[in-house]
Amino acid sequence: MNQLTTADPPAEDWWINIADMMTGLMMLFMFIAVAYMTSIQKTATSYFDMQKSLYEDLHNEFKSDLLKWKAVIDPKTGTVSFKEPDILFLPGSSVLRPGFQEVLIDFFPRYLLIVRGKKFEESVVELRIEGHTSSAWLSQVMPDEAYFKNMSLSQDRTRSVLQFVWANVKPEDRVWLKSR
């Protein structure tokens, strides 16, 4: 007599077990994906909230000075840009003008108080000083030479600003600045 025992399930039943297992795995992976997306969304929201807060703090600190410095703060990045080239450097030079030195003496310590404050110290991972170029020699040299002169001038201007602010910050700020 041919009898089925509990150890021998019908041939079709094993497909149901595999389908149930695959459904369970798919649900598990879906939950992992949803948890990951939620985590990423919280991180992005936190980043944008921090960015907005940084802009607001910078704007509140410098709003009365921005016009006289001819400076702007980018709300998306917190970048402070000084827009008046005549106050910064002489054309074709990396020597800081006295007026810009006064601006930096007023600006940079206040800026550091904000970005080094408890609210942002761990979030700010990079401070960048950018030096832009001059059009003074565009008519005097070939375009390729002007390109390399401007690259060198940009780096020299950046270095001049960094050296000036470095000389005017507290020694305890220098360690933090080096890391950024």
Side-chain angles (χ1 to χ4, degrees):
M1 180 166 190
N2 208 358
Q3 220 176 7
L4 288 176
T5 64
T6 55
D8 297 328
E12 297 84 31
D13 285 352
W14 66 275
W15 282 107
I16 294 172
N17 293 335
I18 290 177
D20 289 345
M21 183 178 69
M22 294 302 287
T23 301
L25 283 173
M26 201 164 66
M27 292 299 291
L28 176 67
F29 289 135
M30 186 179 76
F31 286 132
I32 291 171
V34 168
Y36 179 73
M37 288 187 302
T38 303
S39 170
I40 294 295
Q41 183 179 14
K42 286 179 184 175
T43 301
T45 301
S46 165
Y47 172 78
F48 290 119
D49 290 346
M50 187 276 306
Q51 215 172 21
K52 181 181 176 188
S53 181
L54 176 62
Y55 168 76
E56 289 170 354
D57 288 3
L58 289 172
H59 182 74
N60 289 337
E61 177 65 29
F62 297 115
K63 63 185 166 194
S64 63
D65 297 311
L66 293 173
L67 190 58
K68 75 178 174 187
W69 291 343
K70 295 185 175 48
V72 295
I73 303 171
D74 184 328
K76 292 181 181 175
T77 63
T79 300
V80 179
S81 299
F82 297 94
K83 298 291 190 179
E84 184 55 52
D86 292 338
I87 194 175
L88 307 175
F89 305 94
L90 290 171
S93 170
S94 63
V95 177
L96 292 162
R97 287 189 168 186
F100 190 40
Q101 289 179 0
E102 291 174 20
V103 168
L104 289 173
I105 287 171
D106 186 18
F107 165 75
F108 203 71
R110 292 163 55 199
Y111 178 78
L112 275 181
L113 282 174
I114 294 170
V115 297
R116 281 211 60 199
K118 293 190 187 303
K119 199 170 174 184
F120 303 111
E121 185 171 23
E122 295 302 317
S123 301
V124 174
V125 295
E126 179 183 53
L127 294 181
R128 186 179 304 162
I129 299 172
E130 295 180 0
H132 294 280
T133 60
S134 172
S135 59
W137 47 59
L138 288 178
S139 61
Q140 302 167 3
V141 297
M142 298 299 291
D144 286 348
E145 187 179 352
Y147 171 77
F148 285 103
K149 283 182 174 276
N150 274 332
M151 184 185 303
S152 178
L153 179 61
S154 175
Q155 292 169 350
D156 291 345
R157 286 179 171 180
T158 298
R159 190 173 1 314
S160 291
V161 171
L162 178 59
Q163 286 173 330
F164 184 80
V165 297
W166 190 264
N168 289 288
V169 297
K170 295 181 252 176
E172 58 268 20
D173 287 332
R174 291 178 181 170
V175 173
W176 186 85
L177 284 170
K178 276 185 183 180
S179 71
R180 283 7 181 229

